[in-house]
Amino acid sequence: MLERGTVSGLLTGCAAIVVAHDDGDCTALRSLAQRVGFGLVTSLSQSGDLAQRLPFFLVHYGMAVATKKHVLAQLRGASDDNVRFAPIVLFVPDGPSDEMLFYIEMGFDDVICLPDKSHILEARLAAQIGQERRFIETKTYLGPDRRRMETDRHGRARRSVDYEHTRLTIIRQPGVGVRIVHRELFLKTL
């Protein structure tokens, strides 16, 4: 049975961990997380034991770009797969598409423009769990596979993909955590 307040009932088994520059921004993200139905809402400094909840990191746009990159690096570099592969979602005001593309390429799982209706936010967040997701790991990047962004509008590659990398297929499930279901290593061709 689906729980009231969520599109899929899945978010009740998840913990929203808000990451923001100041208390006001943190409060705004906490309110949003509670409104869309997360089972637990906390901040990064107070996350501690998540008691079998799948973590979601909700990041506020108000932090400097360097800070956002640092947060991504810290989370993606964690030893716990539930943190390394957790959804990391950036919330931004509606803005130019170039800015959204910049953050997507940076490695956020999703970039959501606010304001938006609660049911749309719920659906976007719930889409991060319960289905296979492809991740790429290189020497300098661990995050969602962005190969669809590697071509221009005419289908030509924007850059070479001749580099060593690992392609991981993961599933994020509340109550279970993150599972790596497939791993492929691609070696650089000489």
Side-chain angles (χ1 to χ4, degrees):
M1 179 173 182
L2 299 182
E3 298 206 22
R4 190 183 144 136
T6 64
V7 169
S8 64
L10 294 175
L11 294 179
T12 58
C14 300
I17 302 167
V18 300
V19 183
H21 175 69
D22 59 32
D23 289 340
D25 294 342
C26 196
T27 299
L29 279 180
R30 282 178 189 264
S31 175
L32 180 143
Q34 290 167 340
R35 192 171 72 239
V36 298
F38 278 96
L40 175 67
V41 179
T42 187
S43 65
L44 188 57
S45 62
Q46 300 173 337
S47 57
D49 180 26
L50 299 176
Q52 300 296 334
R53 294 190 188 271
L54 181 68
F56 261 77
F57 295 92
L58 308 183
V59 180
H60 192 275
Y61 71 92
M63 296 183 302
V65 170
T67 304
K68 291 181 193 101
K69 286 181 180 181
H70 178 74
V71 167
L72 277 169
Q74 290 296 107
L75 295 174
R76 296 296 186 212
S79 60
D80 182 354
D81 281 350
N82 286 333
V83 174
R84 286 182 74 211
F85 297 106
I88 305 173
V89 179
L90 179 66
F91 289 88
V92 299
D94 201 5
S97 60
D98 290 351
E99 186 177 335
M100 302 305 123
L101 183 60
F102 173 75
Y103 288 127
I104 290 168
E105 288 177 340
M106 190 185 291
F108 287 97
D109 288 271
D110 200 357
V111 178
I112 298 178
C113 295
L114 295 176
D116 217 337
K117 295 184 168 105
S118 289
H119 70 280
I120 294 171
L121 295 174
E122 292 169 34
R124 293 273 299 268
L125 293 166
Q128 294 293 324
I129 52 180
Q131 58 187 323
E132 289 186 356
R133 293 275 178 189
R134 187 165 286 157
F135 267 57
I136 297 294
E137 184 173 27
T138 69
K139 289 180 182 178
T140 60
Y141 177 82
L142 172 64
D145 183 355
R146 301 299 189 210
R147 286 179 303 152
R148 71 185 188 286
M149 297 170 56
E150 293 295 320
T151 56
D152 63 18
R153 62 184 111 137
H154 303 292
R156 295 180 301 244
R158 290 195 294 171
R159 58 182 163 169
S160 169
V161 292
D162 191 23
Y163 54 87
E164 188 172 312
H165 66 281
T166 303
R167 184 184 309 155
L168 303 146
T169 304
I170 65 165
I171 294 181
R172 303 162 172 150
Q173 295 177 295
V176 176
V178 175
R179 288 185 305 124
I180 299 172
V181 295
H182 188 71
R183 182 186 307 259
E184 293 177 89
L185 176 63
F186 294 86
L187 299 174
K188 184 177 182 176
T189 57
L190 301 175

